[in-house]
Amino acid sequence: MARAMLEYSKTVLKKVSFDAKLFIKELQKAVSMLLPEEIEELELWLHQFITDKPELKQTLIYIKS
């Protein structure tokens, strides 16, 4: 089930990526619900996802512990 939560979080983040504030809010929710190893995987995914979205680069600070 935890794996499903990671995939769900990625799906939500993709859908709200048009709005940086909403993206941050959903990213914070995801980080609070995921296990530490899933957060690491989410961080790797996030780095790839935002390469062509400079407006979302600032969101990386919300995933760092």
Side-chain angles (χ1 to χ4, degrees):
M1 179 162 141
R3 182 82 183 151
M5 191 50 118
L6 175 61
E7 293 307 316
Y8 173 76
S9 297
K10 289 179 187 178
T11 301
V12 170
L13 289 169
K14 286 177 191 174
K15 289 182 179 184
V16 300
S17 64
F18 65 92
D19 181 350
K21 288 183 182 180
L22 191 53
F23 190 87
I24 290 168
K25 183 178 175 183
E26 292 299 330
L27 181 59
Q28 288 174 324
K29 275 200 254 182
V31 169
S32 72
M33 291 186 291
L34 297 174
L35 299 171
E37 58 271 9
E38 292 172 323
I39 293 172
E40 289 176 17
E41 189 174 334
L42 181 65
E43 184 176 2
L44 293 174
W45 173 84
L46 187 60
H47 280 283
Q48 286 184 321
F49 183 71
I50 65 171
T51 44
D52 62 338
K53 298 171 180 60
E55 68 278 6
L56 296 178
K57 291 250 190 240
Q58 68 192 15
T59 63
L60 289 174
I61 65 171
Y62 293 97
I63 203 163
K64 300 288 183 192
S65 304

